[in-house]
Amino acid sequence: MIRILVTGGTLDKEYNQLDGELVFTKTHIADILRQAKCTAEVAIETVMLKDSLHMVDADRQLILDRVRACPEDKVVITHGTDTMADTAAVIGRAVTDKTVVLLGAMVPYSFVNSDAMFNLGCAFSAVQLLPRGSYITMNGKIFSWDNVRKNRQKGEFETLG
Amino acid sequence: MIRILVTGGTLDKEYNQLDGELVFTKTHIADILRQAKCTAEVAIETVMLKDSLHMVDADRQLILDRVRACPEDKVVITHGTDTMADTAAVIGRAVTDKTVVLLGAMVPYSFVNSDAMFNLGCAFSAVQLLPRGSYITMNGKIFSWDNVRKNRQKGEFETLG
Amino acid sequence: MIRILVTGGTLDKEYNQLDGELVFTKTHIADILRQAKCTAEVAIETVMLKDSLHMVDADRQLILDRVRACPEDKVVITHGTDTMADTAAVIGRAVTDKTVVLLGAMVPYSFVNSDAMFNLGCAFSAVQLLPRGSYITMNGKIFSWDNVRKNRQKGEFETLG
Amino acid sequence: MIRILVTGGTLDKEYNQLDGELVFTKTHIADILRQAKCTAEVAIETVMLKDSLHMVDADRQLILDRVRACPEDKVVITHGTDTMADTAAVIGRAVTDKTVVLLGAMVPYSFVNSDAMFNLGCAFSAVQLLPRGSYITMNGKIFSWDNVRKNRQKGEFETLG
């Protein structure tokens, strides 16, 4: 069984046709897994729906609490890309008995050309195969929490080196 | 560097509007990786575009030859689902120095509700993390070549047990 | 109020992942109108779900009966493209007190690159603006029932001239 | 031949993955017409790419000039929804020898659930069937320039009455 903790981020943003803004109304993770015809057992839990630029320490603490509290030792977390590495680090420093994989999307699932499904697929294999620890899977690459950053100029994740 | 060998299957089928049949015209793997915003380095090689029900021993031999011949030791193969387990077994028995991951799709990428991107994402992490050997990643699960079959009644892959 | 009579055709075909065939399970017209955010009032009635190559005289008679029986004088009919002109002619010869517009799709709505929404949009304006009679709207053109055929080599509708 | 004047609006907005904003980079009208398999002859002309809330009198004058200058007497204009009725009125008061139909989208074409194709289909039939004058086609309804407004609370176009 894989626990999926939803925290928001680009992945779940939708178009509000009344004001033309991108907003959160609900998570699309169940829709994505239905389209994926996922046969792995999952439990989906929405912790929050936030742009990760707006996350504060208390948010990361809450996510960490949920990682610790869930009965599963394989945890996938959807997260905004801007501070994903920060949350991965909070978890990486504190959690040693579970495999935790964070992912997000550069383009929301509600767009025709979204990368959300691909990144979620990467996370699903990674959480089943990686040793305990905290990781990020974005756009085909796998990163350890202590060697990753988002390059905002390029819009890509990369190692620190 | 990841080598992607394209062999056809449901994943790459398209609608032919002149006769209403599903046909192969080209692979969509480069399109999928563009949508995925994949930053991992890949080399795409089209070996064939076949419905896997129509594959014969010579086809599997050709695929095996390409697995052996390519310089990369991480190989992803797109393949029809009906005989994917057969090809995985041919490779699993013969190749011991590379990690080979086969994937396909239950619904073509040209359809709105395709699982192709998710399965390719699963394969990308799997090929980077698994020890040498031959594997299948379908719909969120990871299988070893010697413990997998397609359940055609359910349209799902499962272990033999 | 616009009456929509559903008869099947390419527009409503879906992928059956168990056998890889294109099949009918239900109409997608309500889904299309939801995506279209249609504010015009409509009544949707499924008459049949058939490939129009398989339609016989009794099918066309049934469609004609439903055109006559419905209370609305604006009728849109979804139909397979192969014999759409035949059905338009049956209606054109028999119905003089309603505006009837037939449409279909060259590619099913379930595909990423479907023309279904565009053709339905064309039909919606046409049925509100055209004088009484029987018409076809396909791919941006409007045809009268007595001057239209499908060119199967080109996969396009054209005038007889 | 139908002239299509592109002016921007929600229809053409795209996701900028570097800053998460919706922006204009180019028009998608040619892509939409390709997906629509449009067989009607068209000439596409990009006049501007603007959010219609940012349009000023000079913009509407420029659009009017292009309507007058083009050789075709059937003109389709893509436009933001917020001030579409204003531009339709400027054209309606000034142009008496052409049929001009404005349309937009409540959700951009780059989103999975866009109404852009449907509205463009409505406009295509309308421009071929309506007498000379200025009109709006949105979400299945057809409006004359002198009897239409956008209801921003509902996100719908309606008559003044």
Side-chain angles (χ1 to χ4, degrees):
Chain A
M1 173 81 88
I2 297 167
R3 170 74 45 160
I4 303 178
L5 299 179
V6 171
T7 75
T10 292
L11 186 146
D12 268 331
K13 284 197 178 165
E14 291 173 47
Y15 191 76
N16 179 348
Q17 65 183 73
L18 292 184
D19 65 5
E21 298 294 320
L22 292 168
V23 295
F24 295 115
T25 61
K26 62 175 196 309
T27 180
H28 299 78
I29 287 295
D31 294 335
I32 301 177
L33 291 176
R34 199 173 306 116
Q35 180 178 343
K37 293 154 223 336
C38 182
T39 57
E41 279 193 275
V42 303
I44 302 172
E45 176 183 345
T46 300
V47 182
M48 64 189 74
L49 286 173
K50 279 205 175 183
D51 186 319
S52 78
L53 281 174
H54 302 152
M55 280 188 184
V56 295
D57 286 352
D59 293 315
R60 289 183 227 287
Q61 185 60 45
L62 177 59
I63 296 169
L64 175 60
D65 291 345
R66 298 295 180 94
V67 170
R68 283 173 163 151
C70 72
E72 297 83 7
D73 65 355
K74 300 180 194 313
V75 183
V76 165
I77 303 176
T78 66
H79 199 288
T81 58
D82 283 314
T83 68
M84 189 187 293
D86 298 337
T87 304
V90 166
I91 295 166
R93 287 191 198 98
V95 177
T96 55
D97 60 345
K98 300 193 175 196
T99 301
V100 182
V101 179
L102 292 89
L103 77 133
M106 301 306 296
V107 173
Y109 179 64
S110 57
F111 279 77
V112 172
N113 65 331
S114 175
D115 55 331
M117 276 199 95
F118 184 80
N119 295 334
L120 188 63
C122 290
F124 257 65
S125 280
V127 83
Q128 295 176 68
L129 296 173
L130 283 163
R132 289 159 185 203
S134 174
Y135 308 88
I136 283 176
T137 54
M138 283 295 292
N139 306 113
K141 287 188 177 168
I142 303 160
F143 302 94
S144 179
W145 69 271
D146 55 0
N147 191 16
V148 61
R149 71 175 160 215
K150 181 178 175 187
N151 180 326
R152 294 202 191 168
Q153 278 67 47
K154 298 171 73 177
E156 292 179 6
F157 283 78
E158 60 188 18
T159 56
L160 302 180
Chain B
M1 173 82 87
I2 297 168
R3 170 73 47 160
I4 304 178
L5 299 179
V6 172
T7 76
T10 292
L11 186 145
D12 268 331
K13 284 197 177 165
E14 291 173 48
Y15 191 74
N16 179 349
Q17 66 183 72
L18 292 183
D19 65 6
E21 298 294 320
L22 292 168
V23 295
F24 295 115
T25 62
K26 60 174 199 309
T27 182
H28 299 78
I29 288 295
D31 294 334
I32 301 176
L33 291 175
R34 198 173 306 116
Q35 181 178 342
K37 294 155 222 338
C38 182
T39 56
E41 278 193 274
V42 302
I44 302 172
E45 177 183 344
T46 300
V47 182
M48 64 189 75
L49 286 173
K50 280 205 174 183
D51 186 319
S52 78
L53 281 175
H54 301 152
M55 280 188 184
V56 295
D57 287 352
D59 292 315
R60 290 183 226 287
Q61 186 59 45
L62 177 59
I63 296 168
L64 176 60
D65 291 346
R66 297 296 180 93
V67 169
R68 283 173 162 151
C70 71
E72 298 82 9
D73 66 353
K74 301 180 194 312
V75 183
V76 165
I77 303 177
T78 67
H79 198 287
T81 58
D82 283 313
T83 69
M84 189 186 291
D86 298 336
T87 304
V90 166
I91 294 166
R93 287 192 198 96
V95 176
T96 56
D97 60 344
K98 300 192 174 196
T99 301
V100 182
V101 179
L102 292 89
L103 77 132
M106 301 308 294
V107 172
Y109 179 63
S110 57
F111 279 77
V112 172
N113 67 330
S114 175
D115 55 331
M117 276 201 95
F118 185 80
N119 294 334
L120 189 63
C122 290
F124 257 65
S125 280
V127 82
Q128 294 177 69
L129 296 173
L130 283 164
R132 288 158 187 205
S134 172
Y135 308 89
I136 284 176
T137 53
M138 281 295 292
N139 305 114
K141 288 188 177 168
I142 304 160
F143 302 95
S144 179
W145 69 269
D146 55 0
N147 190 16
V148 61
R149 71 176 160 213
K150 182 178 174 185
N151 181 325
R152 294 201 191 170
Q153 278 69 46
K154 298 171 71 177
E156 291 180 5
F157 282 78
E158 61 188 18
T159 55
L160 301 181
Chain C
M1 173 82 88
I2 297 167
R3 170 74 46 160
I4 304 179
L5 299 179
V6 172
T7 76
T10 293
L11 186 146
D12 268 331
K13 284 197 176 165
E14 290 174 48
Y15 191 76
N16 179 349
Q17 65 184 72
L18 292 183
D19 66 6
E21 298 294 321
L22 293 168
V23 296
F24 295 114
T25 62
K26 61 174 197 310
T27 181
H28 299 77
I29 287 295
D31 294 334
I32 301 176
L33 291 176
R34 198 173 306 116
Q35 181 178 342
K37 293 154 224 337
C38 182
T39 56
E41 278 193 275
V42 302
I44 302 173
E45 176 183 346
T46 300
V47 182
M48 64 189 75
L49 286 173
K50 280 206 175 183
D51 186 320
S52 78
L53 281 174
H54 302 152
M55 279 188 184
V56 295
D57 287 351
D59 293 316
R60 289 184 227 287
Q61 185 60 45
L62 177 60
I63 297 169
L64 176 60
D65 291 346
R66 297 295 179 94
V67 170
R68 283 174 164 151
C70 72
E72 297 82 8
D73 65 354
K74 300 181 194 312
V75 183
V76 166
I77 303 176
T78 66
H79 198 287
T81 58
D82 283 314
T83 69
M84 189 187 292
D86 298 336
T87 304
V90 166
I91 295 167
R93 286 193 198 97
V95 176
T96 55
D97 60 344
K98 300 192 174 196
T99 301
V100 182
V101 179
L102 293 89
L103 78 132
M106 301 308 295
V107 172
Y109 179 64
S110 58
F111 278 77
V112 173
N113 66 331
S114 175
D115 54 331
M117 277 200 93
F118 184 80
N119 294 334
L120 189 62
C122 289
F124 257 65
S125 280
V127 83
Q128 295 177 68
L129 296 173
L130 282 163
R132 287 158 187 204
S134 173
Y135 307 89
I136 284 175
T137 53
M138 282 296 291
N139 305 115
K141 288 189 177 167
I142 303 160
F143 302 94
S144 179
W145 69 270
D146 55 0
N147 190 16
V148 61
R149 71 177 160 214
K150 182 179 174 186
N151 180 326
R152 295 201 190 169
Q153 277 68 46
K154 298 171 74 176
E156 292 179 4
F157 282 79
E158 61 188 17
T159 56
L160 302 180
Chain D
M1 173 83 87
I2 297 168
R3 170 74 45 160
I4 303 179
L5 299 179
V6 172
T7 75
T10 292
L11 187 146
D12 268 331
K13 284 196 176 166
E14 291 173 48
Y15 191 74
N16 179 350
Q17 66 183 72
L18 292 183
D19 65 6
E21 298 293 321
L22 293 168
V23 295
F24 295 115
T25 62
K26 61 174 198 311
T27 182
H28 299 78
I29 287 295
D31 293 335
I32 301 175
L33 291 175
R34 199 174 305 115
Q35 180 178 343
K37 294 155 224 335
C38 182
T39 57
E41 279 193 275
V42 302
I44 302 172
E45 177 183 344
T46 300
V47 182
M48 65 189 74
L49 286 174
K50 281 205 174 181
D51 187 318
S52 78
L53 281 175
H54 301 153
M55 280 189 184
V56 294
D57 287 352
D59 293 315
R60 289 185 226 287
Q61 185 60 44
L62 177 59
I63 296 169
L64 175 60
D65 291 346
R66 297 296 180 94
V67 170
R68 283 173 163 152
C70 72
E72 297 83 8
D73 65 354
K74 300 179 195 314
V75 183
V76 166
I77 303 177
T78 66
H79 199 287
T81 58
D82 283 313
T83 68
M84 189 187 291
D86 298 335
T87 304
V90 167
I91 295 167
R93 287 192 199 98
V95 176
T96 55
D97 60 345
K98 300 193 175 196
T99 301
V100 182
V101 179
L102 293 89
L103 77 132
M106 300 308 295
V107 173
Y109 179 64
S110 57
F111 278 77
V112 172
N113 65 332
S114 175
D115 54 332
M117 277 200 94
F118 185 79
N119 294 333
L120 188 63
C122 290
F124 257 65
S125 281
V127 82
Q128 294 177 68
L129 295 173
L130 283 164
R132 288 159 186 203
S134 173
Y135 308 89
I136 284 176
T137 53
M138 282 296 291
N139 306 115
K141 287 189 178 168
I142 303 161
F143 302 94
S144 180
W145 69 270
D146 54 1
N147 190 16
V148 61
R149 70 176 160 215
K150 182 178 174 185
N151 181 325
R152 294 200 190 170
Q153 278 68 46
K154 299 171 72 177
E156 292 179 5
F157 282 79
E158 61 188 18
T159 55
L160 302 181

